[in-house]
């Protein structure tokens, strides 16, 4: 029995999603320059030719992952800022979300680090990265400043604290894919935010 248009569309979306999930792992391990479309096809378990039904090249796959990762971060931060509680409670919840995210999906923060550090990323990816990163960083700075006005966060330059938090999260993502000395446990939110307390 032939598939209905709805079934065909659902299958297409499932394959695209599987391709992106597999691509996260490949790009995180190999980087953009060393990855080939054949690597992405093999990791996703689909034919080489079928990959091109979804993306014209590996750069567009990478760009999609970068954009989705940053937009997820912005969406999560916006939700917490619009949620209940004090700025400190909002920062705690957001930090917890970030830590859970990198504990479960460390590949995406590593792809973002690569995108920031690489000189070979395509111009559209670089532009999207700059645009979304600026927006995300500014929102985080504003949340920290709100907490400082209420005496809940230490009075240090908010931009420095925001950078410290993001650097810590990126470093923790890296430890998820490297051997951990002594099987050190993953830090809790309160440990990460200890320096933020007045």
């Amino acid at each position: 029995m032939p598939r209905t248009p709805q079934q065909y569309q659902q299958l297409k979306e499932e394959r695209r999603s599987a391709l992106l999930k597999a691509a996260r792992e490949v790009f995180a391990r190999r980087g953009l320059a060393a990855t080939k479309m054949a690597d992405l096809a093999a990791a996703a378990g689909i034919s080489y030719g079928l990959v091109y039904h979804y993306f014209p090249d590996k750069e567009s796959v990478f760009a999609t992952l970068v954009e989705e990762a940053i937009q997820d971060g912005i969406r999560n931060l916006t939700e917490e800022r619009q949620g209940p509680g004090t700025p400190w409670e909002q920062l705690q919840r957001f930090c917890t979300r970030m830590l859970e995210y990198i504990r479960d999906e460390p590949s995406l923060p590593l792809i973002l680090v690569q995108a920031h550090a690489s000189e070979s990323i395509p111009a559209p990816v670089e532009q999207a990265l700059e645009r979304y990163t600026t927006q995300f960083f500014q929102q985080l700075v504003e949340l920290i400043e709100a907490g400082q006005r209420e005496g809940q966060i230490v009075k240090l330059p908010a931009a420095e604290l925001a950078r410290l938090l993001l650097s810590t999260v990126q470093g923790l993502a890296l430890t998820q894919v490297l051997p951990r000395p002594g099987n050190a446990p993953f830090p809790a939110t309160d440990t990460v935010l200890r320096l933020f307390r007045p």
Side-chain angles (χ1 to χ4, degrees), residues 5 12-13 18 56 86 89 91-92 96 100 124 193:
K12 187 176 178 181
E13 289 170 5
T86 65
E89 291 166 339
L91 182 63
Q92 281 183 307
T96 298
E100 289 171 353
L193 291 179

Side-chain angles (χ1 to χ4, degrees), residues 25-47:
E25 302 303 320
V26 175
F27 283 127
R29 282 194 325 270
R30 305 191 65 177
L32 175 60
T35 298
K36 298 178 175 58
M37 285 291 265
D39 300 327
L40 302 180
I46 61 177
S47 71

Side-chain angles (χ1 to χ4, degrees), residues 29-91:
R29 282 194 325 270
R30 305 191 65 177
L32 175 60
T35 298
K36 298 178 175 58
M37 285 291 265
D39 300 327
L40 302 180
I46 61 177
S47 71
Y48 177 73
L50 190 56
V51 177
Y52 289 95
H53 285 282
Y54 302 100
F55 297 96
D57 49 41
K58 67 178 183 178
E59 288 81 9
S60 61
V61 181
F62 189 81
T64 299
L65 291 173
V66 168
E67 191 161 334
E68 285 182 357
I70 299 175
Q71 286 180 343
D72 281 349
I74 292 172
R75 183 171 52 252
N76 290 338
L77 181 52
T78 301
E79 285 173 5
E80 294 304 344
R81 290 192 68 205
Q82 293 172 349
T86 65
W88 176 255
E89 291 166 339
Q90 293 169 0
L91 182 63

Side-chain angles (χ1 to χ4, degrees), residues 1-48:
M1 176 181 246
R3 292 189 180 100
T4 66
Q6 293 84 3
Q7 290 172 326
Y8 178 77
Q9 184 61 32
Q10 181 180 352
L11 179 62
K12 187 176 178 181
E13 289 170 5
E14 287 171 357
R15 283 181 175 162
R16 183 180 186 276
S17 179
L19 174 59
L20 287 172
K21 184 174 182 181
R24 286 199 298 261
E25 302 303 320
V26 175
F27 283 127
R29 282 194 325 270
R30 305 191 65 177
L32 175 60
T35 298
K36 298 178 175 58
M37 285 291 265
D39 300 327
L40 302 180
I46 61 177
S47 71
Y48 177 73

Side-chain angles (χ1 to χ4, degrees), residues 147-164:
Q148 289 174 326
R149 285 192 296 273
E150 296 193 19
Q152 301 167 338
I153 296 177
V154 66
K155 296 276 190 179
L156 291 171
E160 288 182 17
L161 291 173
R163 184 172 180 181
L164 173 63

